[in-house]
Structure formats: structure tokens, C-alpha cells
Amino acid sequence: KTKMSVDTYSVKDIDNIDKIGSFVIDGSIKDSRVVDGKLILISTFNPNIEKKYPKIYIDAPECKGFNYYNQKFKMDSRCYSLINDNGRFYRYDYENPIIVSENLIPMVVKNTDAEISLLMPTTFYVPSKKDQEYSITTVSKIDIKDMELEDTSSILGYQNAVYASSKALYLVSDKYPMYYDFQNYKHRSAIYKFQISDKLAYKGMGFVDGSALNQFSLSEYDDVLRIATTEGNSWGGGGTKNSIFTLREKNGILEPLGYLGGLGKKDERIYSVRFMGKKGYIVTFMETDPFYTIDLSDPANPLEIGALEIEGFSSYLHPIGDDLIMGVGRDVNNKLKLELFDISIFSEPKSIDMYVFNTNGYFYSELERNHKALAFRKSDNLFAIPFGGGDYRLDNYGNYLGVFKVEDDEFKVYNNIVDDFSSNSYSSLNRGIIFDKGVETYVAYLVNGLATFRTLKSLEKKE
């Protein structure tokens, strides 16, 4: 069985780190959030039964010497169904299997306690829908300080996106082939809502057309869920459809509230989303990068306010203060880039600065698909991005930490920190850390368990 563990440590005394407790849970971790000192853990479990089949021996001397390539036996179907066991012939009795083991529900063990069920029958929800996915998704609420499993709630089905506000958790499922229309290349996503403030509880479900890109495709504001989706595929010939839906939970149903469609051109899909209060920002892409600003002040009537077309795209958007957004993505030549957007005039977004990573070779960053790769300090807009790649022919291939600051509405670029420990292959196991010690600011580059430290002053580019 696949198992996962949750361990909690006290670092109050850094020289004597103390393990508070642990849970071992059947299944795999899907995602997690920490809200008000509680760990909200989303795990998946696939029920399985191990079976073996008894052998039924048959007297079949006419099949002696049988093999699939012997022309003599090609018309004898009886021999095809038999297995030769040193001259004796048998077939498996598939009608009467012997159950070796059953693992039908996920179990959990705290420390050395007895194993108990993670799934509670009274909080297990099975939606009625066609082609139901058999995996079980469980939301667990764990008190981190006391390492107590407070509540669990489970649904049947796979989830492809997870979003949590301070009050609610939303799971989105677009698992193929559920809700899929083969004739028109259409599909739908199911959304499940759980209350995570106070007692964990399933609150209801709803549907939207299309599929959500990631957690940033969802946002909750004033108890209204906003979700951006893409429907269809450019390769399908039917084009794509990019939309924003707003929904509000009422009596166990996520009821549709508002809708905005028509985002992007033919065959473009959503590459990045960011919701910030009553405003939203969306990037679609195929050949150019329309950067849209969306007014969500009236959730029943979302409006496209502005659009900026540039070449390339942003796959992650990060807010910098109230008037700037940084995009991380690709330029028109598919080079890794940073771009700074001015959103101070909401209806007229502008691109005010761009930095393209070394043009000699191909570079890539985990930040393009995982926002946790960004180390960002809000107090002075100093940030670090791990990236790798290059060109073997130019002897510049390796792992690097790019260090930057947004200053006076532009990127200030520092010298990269080079990974001197690893081989020339790119490692995704790298992160940057920014911290102060005394009067100095330091940047640490962690790769595969090894760390390089530099003062920010030493990384200043010389004029």
C-alpha cells in the first residue's frame, strides 16, 4: 500500500529539535494548507483488492506440444485456453477468485496508536454521475500544536485543482471522461466546497464549463467563488472558450451568479490568473499575450475593463504593491522572461519593463509551474528565482539563482548565484532564501541539500 506521513517538530530550541508527533496515512498527498494553526490535508486513496485464481487441471492429451505458432493447433480453441504445466494442462478459474487482501478504505495511525479508519461513513459523499472515478479524496483537519486529528470528510473522485480561503476549501474535478462531449470537444468541471473554519464540513457542489488551470484560477471574496476556465482544445478543431464564472453556495448547491466569456482569441487558452479583491487579471496565449483586467465588483456582472497585447506570455502572475504585477513566462522567442505590468490605471494596463534571461541557450525555471519556487520579500520587493539550462556548446549550462529587486518601477538585476555543487543537469530541488543578519542582507541558494550564501552587497553589478 502507498502511505504518506505527516510529522510535526518543535524548533523552539534550534539546537534540540523535538518531534511532537506524526501520522501515517494510507494513500498519497494531493495538497495541503495551513489556516489558523490547523493543517488542512488533502489526500487520495485508491481502493484495491489483491486476488488470485485457482487452477483447474484438465485431461487434454491432444494439446501436448501446443504452442501459438504451431499451425497444427491454430483451429483448436480448447488448446488456446490451456496452460502447459510439465505435460499437465490447466486453466484459471476466473469465476471463483480467492481474495488475498482487501484495502477498501484509507487508514491512519497516530504515533504508535492503533490503526483507525480515516474515512467516516457519515461524512463520505458519493456524487451521482456517469463514469465515476473510483479514487477517494479525503480532507483532514489536524491541529498542528497538539497533533490531533480533529475531523475528516471524503468524496469519491479525483481532484485536479485545490483552492482554500480562510473559511472554505474548494476541490475541482475535471477528470476525463466525466462530463466530456466527444462530438463538440466540451467538458465540465465539478466543484466541491468544504467549510474549514470551525468544524470541517462538506457544504455542497456545483458545475462550470471547462477546466481550471491551477489554484490561482479560483478565488473567494465576500462568500462568492470566482473561477476562470478554458473549454476545448486548439488541436480539436473546435476552438477554445475562456470564461469566468461566479457562484454562491446556497442549500448545498453552488448556484451560478455571474458569467464573463469571450476572453482570448481563437484557439487561445488561459496561461495564468490572479484574483485580487474585486479585481482579476488573466493572461491567454497562442501567438500573442492578451493581459486582461477584470472588474469583479459586481459578482453577478463581471466585466472586462482593459486588455494589453504583447508577444509571448506569462505563466505566473505575482502582485507587487497595489499598482504593479510581475509576470513570469516566455517571450516571442520562447526565452524565459520577467515582465512588469503597471495596473495603476485599471482600464489601461501597461508593460513597463522586461528582463529576458541569458539569450545564449535555453533556460527554464520551476517558477513557471510552481509559485513556491519564488522567494519574495514584500518589504523591499527583493526576490530570487531558481533557474537552469543554457548551452553545452558555450559551456554555460548549469543551475543558477537569479536575484532581482523591483525599484523605481523597473527590475534591478543582481549577479546570479551559481550552483557549484551539482552536475550540469538542471535540478528542480533548489530554492532561494532572503534574510537579514546584523546590518547585512543575505541570499542563500539551496540545491540538493547544499547551500551557498552571499551578501546582497557582493551581488551588486559593477557599473
Side-chain angles (χ1 to χ4, degrees):
K1 290 192 295 185
T2 300
K3 294 180 179 290
M4 54 172 288
S5 64
V6 178
D7 302 316
T8 302
Y9 298 85
S10 171
V11 292
K12 185 176 181 179
D13 182 354
I14 197 65
D15 295 319
N16 295 285
I17 297 175
D18 182 35
K19 185 175 182 178
I20 297 173
S22 66
F23 288 101
V24 176
I25 300 172
D26 288 345
S28 304
I29 184 171
K30 173 65 180 179
D31 215 327
S32 64
R33 300 288 189 273
V34 175
V35 180
D36 295 332
K38 311 292 183 179
L39 172 65
I40 309 299
L41 180 70
I42 300 95
S43 58
T44 59
F45 173 80
N46 293 327
N48 63 87
I49 300 176
E50 183 183 352
K51 298 180 287 187
K52 67 178 183 179
Y53 301 95
K55 298 176 181 178
I56 300 177
Y57 281 88
I58 296 173
D59 184 20
E62 67 275 16
C63 295
K64 186 176 181 181
F66 166 78
N67 66 67
Y68 289 104
Y69 303 100
N70 192 323
Q71 295 292 327
K72 176 182 176 181
F73 299 101
K74 276 212 168 182
M75 301 304 295
D76 194 334
S77 60
R78 183 185 184 194
C79 295
Y80 273 105
S81 65
L82 299 180
I83 299 172
N84 191 336
D85 181 14
N86 294 320
R88 300 176 65 202
F89 296 90
Y90 69 88
R91 62 176 176 81
Y92 286 111
D93 185 3
Y94 292 107
E95 301 298 322
N96 298 287
I98 299 170
I99 305 301
V100 177
S101 64
E102 292 182 329
N103 300 300
L104 301 181
I105 59 175
M107 307 296 287
V108 56
V109 176
K110 178 185 177 182
N111 300 331
T112 58
D113 296 346
E115 188 177 56
I116 63 172
S117 174
L118 184 70
L119 183 150
M120 299 293 107
T122 54
T123 57
F124 182 32
Y125 301 90
V126 182
S128 176
K129 56 189 178 186
K130 186 179 178 181
D131 298 324
Q132 178 64 50
E133 174 73 19
Y134 71 92
S135 62
I136 297 171
T137 299
T138 299
V139 181
S140 302
K141 187 175 184 180
I142 298 173
D143 185 289
I144 298 175
K145 183 178 179 181
D146 299 325
M147 277 301 280
E148 291 294 336
L149 179 60
E150 294 186 351
D151 299 299
T152 67
S153 188
S154 306
I155 60 173
L156 190 66
Y158 168 88
Q159 316 307 317
N160 67 289
V162 177
Y163 165 75
S165 68
S166 60
K167 298 189 295 184
L169 175 81
Y170 294 89
L171 304 180
V172 184
S173 175
D174 67 349
K175 183 68 174 180
Y176 174 93
M178 293 188 298
Y179 317 119
Y180 200 85
D181 181 341
F182 286 97
Q183 299 301 318
N184 299 303
Y185 299 97
K186 293 183 177 180
H187 62 280
R188 301 180 72 198
S189 291
I191 307 172
Y192 305 94
K193 179 181 179 180
F194 296 83
Q195 173 185 292
I196 57 176
S197 58
D198 301 321
K199 184 177 176 61
L200 175 67
Y202 172 80
K203 298 298 290 183
M205 69 177 296
F207 295 92
V208 293
D209 293 334
S211 180
L213 178 66
N214 53 33
Q215 71 183 70
F216 295 104
S217 297
L218 294 88
S219 173
E220 185 185 67
Y221 186 79
D222 284 345
D223 296 323
V224 173
L225 175 68
R226 298 86 62 87
I227 177 171
T229 67
T230 295
E231 184 180 358
N233 295 285
S234 57
W235 50 262
T240 57
K241 186 177 181 181
N242 303 303
S243 309
I244 293 178
F245 299 86
T246 60
L247 307 97
R248 192 194 303 272
E249 183 261 319
K250 183 179 180 181
N251 299 325
I253 300 295
L254 294 177
E255 296 183 344
L257 189 61
Y259 171 77
L260 173 64
L263 298 172
K265 299 177 182 178
K266 186 179 184 296
D267 293 334
E268 290 183 341
R269 65 180 180 85
I270 291 174
Y271 265 68
S272 56
V273 184
R274 197 76 192 218
F275 292 105
M276 297 162 58
K278 297 179 181 180
K279 298 178 180 179
Y281 306 90
I282 292 182
V283 170
T284 62
F285 178 73
M286 187 171 183
E287 294 179 353
T288 59
D289 176 354
F291 177 93
Y292 293 99
T293 56
I294 312 296
D295 182 0
L296 296 159
S297 57
D298 179 1
N301 186 34
L303 297 174
E304 175 193 324
I305 299 299
L308 171 67
E309 282 199 6
I310 54 177
E311 295 180 327
F313 65 89
S314 298
S315 52
Y316 173 64
L317 297 175
H318 189 86
I320 300 177
D322 296 327
D323 297 331
L324 299 174
I325 284 186
M326 178 177 68
V328 181
R330 298 275 158 181
D331 72 358
V332 66
N333 296 312
N334 201 30
K335 300 292 185 180
L336 182 64
K337 70 162 184 176
L338 302 177
E339 189 154 7
L340 199 59
F341 299 99
D342 182 344
I343 53 172
S344 57
I345 302 176
F346 193 55
S347 60
E348 300 178 9
K350 298 177 182 179
S351 174
I352 56 174
D353 197 17
M354 182 187 296
Y355 173 79
V356 179
F357 287 69
N358 195 319
T359 56
N360 294 321
Y362 181 81
F363 290 86
Y364 39 92
S365 172
E366 186 186 355
L367 183 56
E368 295 177 87
R369 56 182 174 81
N370 180 9
H371 68 282
K372 295 180 180 179
L374 174 67
F376 186 89
R377 190 162 73 174
K378 189 175 181 180
S379 62
D380 57 1
N381 296 332
L382 181 66
F383 62 96
I385 298 175
F387 68 98
D391 190 330
Y392 283 111
R393 296 168 299 179
L394 300 176
D395 195 29
N396 69 342
Y397 203 92
N399 303 309
Y400 308 90
L401 184 72
V403 182
F404 306 86
K405 180 187 285 188
V406 175
E407 190 173 73
D408 298 326
D409 291 348
E410 63 181 18
F411 293 116
K412 178 178 180 179
V413 183
Y414 293 84
N415 288 316
N416 297 325
I417 302 179
V418 181
D419 168 30
D420 295 324
F421 303 117
S422 305
S423 64
N424 284 336
S425 60
Y426 175 61
S427 170
S428 62
L429 301 175
N430 49 27
R431 288 291 185 271
I433 299 176
I434 300 168
F435 62 96
D436 290 337
K437 186 175 182 181
V439 296
E440 291 282 3
T441 294
Y442 289 84
V443 182
Y445 184 27
L446 282 69
V447 185
N448 297 328
L450 299 173
T452 299
F453 296 87
R454 297 285 187 272
T455 64
L456 185 64
K457 189 179 298 184
S458 69
L459 296 174
E460 290 269 7
K461 286 183 176 288
K462 296 181 180 179
E463 297 296 334

